[in-house]
Amino acid sequence: MYVAVKGGERAIANAHAWLAEERRGDPGVPELSIAQIREQQRLAVDRVMTEGSLYDPDLAALALKQARGDQVEAIFLLRAYRTTLARFGASLPLETGRMTVRRRVSAIFKDVPGGQVLGPTFDYTHRLLDFTLAANGEPPAAPVAEAPLADTLPPVIDVLNRERLIEAEAAPADETPPADLTREPLRFPASRAMRLQNLARGDEGFLLALGYSTQRGYGRNHPFAGEIRFGEVTVELEAPELGFAVELGDIELTECQMVNQFAGSKTEPPQFTRGYGTSFGHGERKAMAMALVDRALRAAELGEEVSSPAQDTEFVLYHSDNVEAQGFVQHLKLPHYVDFQSELTVIRAMRRAAAQTAEAALAEAAE
């Protein structure tokens, strides 16, 4: 049995107080506001919202502040809060084709309908430290286009769709709503809808490593970024009492359509295959990694050999969740006195037995 430790509650309370003091930092430095984190650390906020499964920039910023910038801890906080919220309905599927685009690039066609829109991106920066930021220098105003973008830009994948060069993605024949991973346990075989839910809230670093592995030969994958788009989409709710959909508001979203190697058969002509990824806010790295892993997990249904970690559905889905993973790893910090004492007892007995065997062998050799 575990040995009671006197003063445990007092020690924990003191640790909490010390944590709050460390979070605040030097009292002589102005404290970060929620608005500052929301507006100036937006990519961190977006990741917390995506993997926390809750779109609320203010709450995600609060979680980051409370977690001292630890994104996984902030994701845990946001998910825990999410479980306390009431649900009153489900929105209609988001129409990303009608997205108000702020950034849209394609790596498969130079000239796309509506043009390439670079938008706000690190892609072409020199990765040199900008010391004007240390001096609180204000950036120059971004130039304004002479003519506004079209309200919506047609998806690049439509070019391939029209020639049937890429596999079609039709809605399921039955109208059964997909299972909700936040309310139901993960079951196998997992549908693609369930897999995508799991990947969307999965750890970005884990998915990035798996996606990278598919490009280094650990998975039959030769991807092209068909389209990456970032912008605002409208969330609509169909109200039964009204009989039509009403707009709830707009959210920022990133979407990635990855074009991959071919599939075909004796009866079907070769076509490109797809991988899909999405994230709340501006999360291109997450959406791209998700799209790579989504395609890898489709290996079996496309008739390909499953031989790599990124293609192993159970391995990927069971280990992608950072809240569960960090809990399992960090629980090792908690008392394991009894377990370790039993291991000590076993190894001491083994060493005594080994020593006795060695002594007996020496005695026998001496005779």
Side-chain angles (χ1 to χ4, degrees):
M1 61 179 290
Y2 285 103
V3 179
V5 180
K6 293 183 179 180
E9 290 185 10
R10 179 182 174 187
I12 290 171
N14 289 343
H16 288 171
W18 198 351
L19 175 63
E21 186 177 287
E22 287 291 308
R23 182 206 59 75
R24 175 59 183 87
D26 185 350
V29 176
E31 183 167 9
L32 276 174
S33 69
I34 300 302
Q36 286 174 310
I37 298 172
R38 183 192 66 226
E39 296 300 321
Q40 299 177 45
Q41 299 293 314
R42 192 54 195 261
L43 298 184
V45 168
D46 290 344
R47 179 184 174 185
V48 171
M49 292 194 301
T50 299
E51 297 176 26
S53 301
L54 180 63
Y55 190 93
D56 191 315
D58 287 317
L59 289 179
L62 173 61
L64 276 167
K65 179 175 181 177
Q66 183 177 335
R68 302 173 62 197
D70 184 332
Q71 290 183 314
V72 175
E73 180 68 19
I75 290 161
F76 196 171
L77 291 170
L78 198 63
R79 281 201 201 173
Y81 177 76
R82 182 183 186 277
T83 64
T84 69
L85 302 176
R87 293 195 182 189
F88 57 85
S91 69
L92 297 176
L94 298 178
E95 295 285 350
T96 55
R98 293 173 15 208
M99 175 186 289
T100 302
V101 170
R102 294 177 58 191
R103 169 168 161 80
R104 192 278 292 271
V105 294
S106 172
I108 59 174
F109 296 113
K110 179 181 178 182
D111 298 312
V112 292
Q116 305 271 5
V117 183
L118 297 188
T121 178
F122 292 117
D123 290 350
Y124 310 102
T125 61
H126 293 157
R127 269 68 176 198
L128 300 175
L129 281 176
D130 184 356
F131 289 98
T132 62
L133 297 178
N136 297 319
E138 291 295 326
V144 177
E146 295 178 1
L149 283 173
D151 290 339
T152 58
L153 298 179
V156 173
I157 299 300
D158 285 354
V159 176
L160 300 176
N161 280 331
R162 284 195 291 271
E163 295 186 50
R164 298 183 179 179
L165 293 175
I166 193 167
E167 58 179 336
E169 282 198 330
D174 60 36
E175 296 185 359
T176 305
D180 185 347
L181 186 60
T182 66
R183 289 181 149 189
E184 302 175 28
L186 180 63
R187 294 189 178 91
F188 294 97
S191 66
R192 190 176 183 209
M194 181 65 84
R195 297 199 305 261
L196 288 172
Q197 288 181 62
N198 183 288
L199 296 178
R201 56 194 253 132
D203 181 72
E204 180 179 316
F206 181 79
L207 296 182
L208 182 63
L210 286 177
Y212 179 46
S213 75
T214 69
Q215 296 178 272
R216 291 179 54 82
Y218 294 92
R220 188 175 179 272
N221 204 348
H222 187 264
F224 296 91
E227 182 178 24
I228 300 165
R229 55 170 55 203
F230 160 61
E232 290 83 30
V233 292
T234 300
V235 179
E236 297 179 312
L237 177 71
E238 198 168 71
E241 62 273 19
L242 298 178
F244 57 87
V246 295
E247 294 186 1
L248 300 182
D250 294 336
I251 65 171
E252 291 185 343
L253 198 72
T254 300
E255 180 181 61
C256 175
Q257 291 275 6
M258 202 68 76
V259 179
N260 297 79
Q261 284 179 322
F262 322 114
S265 67
K266 292 181 179 179
T267 58
E268 296 290 334
Q271 291 181 312
F272 288 111
T273 55
R274 297 174 183 254
Y276 182 79
T278 187
S279 71
F280 284 148
H282 197 179
E284 294 178 20
R285 186 171 54 224
K286 171 63 179 287
M288 294 178 71
M290 177 180 168
L292 291 171
V293 177
D294 170 49
R295 172 57 179 83
L297 292 178
R298 301 182 60 220
E301 65 191 51
L302 292 170
E304 299 168 1
E305 179 186 2
V306 175
S307 58
S308 302
Q311 298 172 309
D312 187 328
T313 304
E314 292 193 19
F315 173 79
V316 172
L317 300 190
Y318 271 141
H319 300 97
S320 62
D321 192 291
N322 55 31
V323 170
E324 184 174 341
Q326 68 96 21
F328 209 81
V329 170
Q330 294 204 92
H331 99 283
L332 297 173
K333 295 184 291 187
L334 300 177
H336 286 75
Y337 311 134
V338 173
D339 295 342
F340 187 67
Q341 289 300 319
S342 67
E343 296 282 347
L344 275 177
T345 300
V346 170
I347 197 169
R348 283 169 175 161
M350 292 171 66
R351 287 170 64 88
R352 284 195 299 270
Q356 291 170 359
T357 300
E359 288 175 4
L362 287 173
E364 185 177 345
E367 294 176 359

